Amino acid sequence: MGSETNLTLQDVAWHDAVGRLIETLDRPHFWRSMARLLGRYVPMDNWVVLIFGAGRPQVLAESQDEDGGSDSLFQDYLKGLYLLDPFYLANRESPKSGLFQLDDVAPECFEQTDYYQRYFRLNVVADEIHINVQLDLDRTLSLSLGSHCRFSQEQVALLRLIQPWVAGLMRQRCVFEQEIKRTPEPAPDWQERLQSPALQISAALSTREAEVAQLMLSGCSNKEIARKLAISAETVKVHRRHLYNKLGIKSQSELFLLFLQAQD
C-alpha cells in the first residue's frame, strides 16, 4: 500500500507559480511578477530591487506610486540618504547572502534617527525585510520588501522557508539583467560633503571626525560608534564635541541638515 501524500493545494499553487515565474526570467516584467507572487503569501506595500556595492546603489526595478510613477522620496534616497540606511551600512560592513529583518540591522535608537524621521517612516513606514544574494566581493543583489505594519512572525517564517527559491531565481535573473554590468556611480564622499565650501565651514573635519559623523547620522549610539571604530566611548564624545565646534552646530539634527545641504 503506497504512502500517503501530504502535498496541499497551496503547495501545488506555489510550485505552479514558481514554474510560471521561471518562464519570465528573461522578460522585462520579471521583478514585478516576483513581487506579485510574494505578495500573495506575505502582503507588502512597496518593494525595490537594488545592487548594493561600493558606489551609489543601482535600481533594477521598483514598485510604483498610486499615479504609476516613480516615488519622489525614493529619489532622495538615491541622492544620498542611502548612506544612512542601516541595510546599506550592514551590507557594506559585512556583505552576505540571506534574509535580514530591520531588527537585525537597525541601531538601538533607530526611531530617533533623522533617517527614520525624514525617510523611513514616510516611505517604508513600519517594517522592512531584505533578501540578499551576494554576487561577488563588492556587489550584493537585494530585494527589499516594505510594509505599513510590522511583519508577523508567521510571515517572516514563511519568507525564510521560501528564501532559497527566491534567492535562486534572483541569481538566475542576473544572466539577463543588463543594468548589473554597468559601472555604478561613485558614492558621495562624506568628508567632502561635510567640508563643502557652500556650507561655509571654517575648519575641515579630520577623517576620524567624518567617520564619527557618519555613524551618528546612521543612528549609532556612542557605545556602538566606539565598538565600530575600536575606540573608547569617551574618545567618541571628544570627536563629537570637536566636529560640532568645527561645523558651528549644537545637535545631531543640525548635522543632518548640513548633510542635506551638501547634497544639492
Side-chain angles (χ1 to χ4, degrees):
M1 189 172 179
S3 60
E4 285 187 27
T5 177
N6 293 319
L7 195 65
T8 67
L9 288 176
Q10 190 173 24
D11 294 328
V12 173
W14 165 255
H15 287 86
D16 177 68
V18 170
R20 293 176 184 274
L21 191 59
I22 291 173
E23 295 271 341
T24 70
L25 273 169
D26 61 344
R27 311 281 174 79
H29 61 275
F30 168 79
W31 294 115
R32 287 201 310 276
S33 298
M34 172 177 277
R36 193 178 302 117
L37 172 58
L38 293 178
R40 293 184 198 170
Y41 298 90
V42 179
M44 69 190 77
D45 295 292
N46 52 71
W47 59 271
V48 62
V49 183
L50 300 162
I51 297 289
F52 283 147
R56 193 187 305 273
Q58 294 176 269
V59 182
L60 303 186
E62 62 178 302
S63 55
Q64 297 180 323
D65 59 25
E66 295 179 356
D67 298 325
S70 179
D71 189 331
S72 59
L73 194 58
F74 184 61
Q75 298 310 307
D76 290 336
Y77 175 89
L78 294 175
K79 290 177 182 176
L81 287 178
Y82 70 87
L83 289 167
L84 311 179
D85 180 359
F87 284 100
Y88 172 83
L89 293 170
N91 180 76
R92 296 306 302 154
E93 184 175 311
S94 180
K96 53 188 174 183
S97 299
L99 185 147
F100 302 94
Q101 296 177 250
L102 180 63
D103 290 342
D104 296 330
V105 299
E108 56 190 31
C109 301
F110 181 56
E111 292 188 359
Q112 299 175 24
T113 65
D114 287 295
Y115 176 77
Y116 175 86
Q117 294 294 333
R118 295 174 181 271
Y119 178 76
F120 189 89
R121 71 180 181 87
L122 301 174
N123 197 56
V124 184
V125 182
D127 205 0
E128 186 174 7
I129 288 178
H130 279 226
I131 295 177
N132 286 357
V133 176
Q134 188 177 0
L135 301 178
D136 51 43
L137 292 177
D138 296 319
R139 300 177 304 163
T140 300
L141 177 61
S142 185
L143 169 61
S144 164
L145 310 177
S147 175
H148 288 178
C149 57
R150 297 284 291 181
F151 290 108
S152 68
Q153 292 183 351
E154 291 77 12
Q155 290 170 336
V156 174
L158 179 56
L159 283 174
R160 290 193 185 281
L161 183 65
I162 64 176
Q163 181 260 332
W165 293 79
V166 176
L169 287 166
M170 290 170 64
R171 190 178 293 278
Q172 289 299 315
R173 169 64 183 180
C174 292
V175 176
F176 308 99
E177 195 63 68
Q178 297 301 313
E179 292 291 334
I180 296 178
K181 300 177 182 178
R182 298 178 184 174
T183 303
E185 295 181 49
D189 184 89
W190 272 88
Q191 193 167 7
E192 179 182 339
R193 280 187 173 181
L194 293 172
Q195 295 173 357
S196 169
L199 302 182
Q200 299 179 346
I201 295 171
S202 58
L205 298 182
S206 68
T207 300
R208 181 63 86 194
E209 288 164 351
E211 290 173 339
V212 170
Q214 177 178 359
L215 291 171
M216 286 171 56
L217 289 168
S218 303
C220 293
S221 64
N222 284 352
K223 184 177 179 180
E224 288 176 296
I225 295 173
R227 178 178 57 80
K228 290 177 179 290
L229 300 181
I231 58 180
S232 71
E234 287 302 315
T235 301
V236 173
K237 292 180 182 178
V238 171
H239 286 312
R240 287 182 69 144
R241 186 165 62 250
H242 287 171
L243 72 90
Y244 279 4
N245 288 337
K246 288 183 177 181
L247 299 177
I249 59 177
K250 297 180 180 179
S251 69
Q252 183 170 321
S253 293
E254 289 182 80
L255 176 62
F256 190 84
L257 289 176
L258 288 180
F259 167 77
L260 289 181
Q261 292 172 31
Q263 289 181 177
D264 299 329

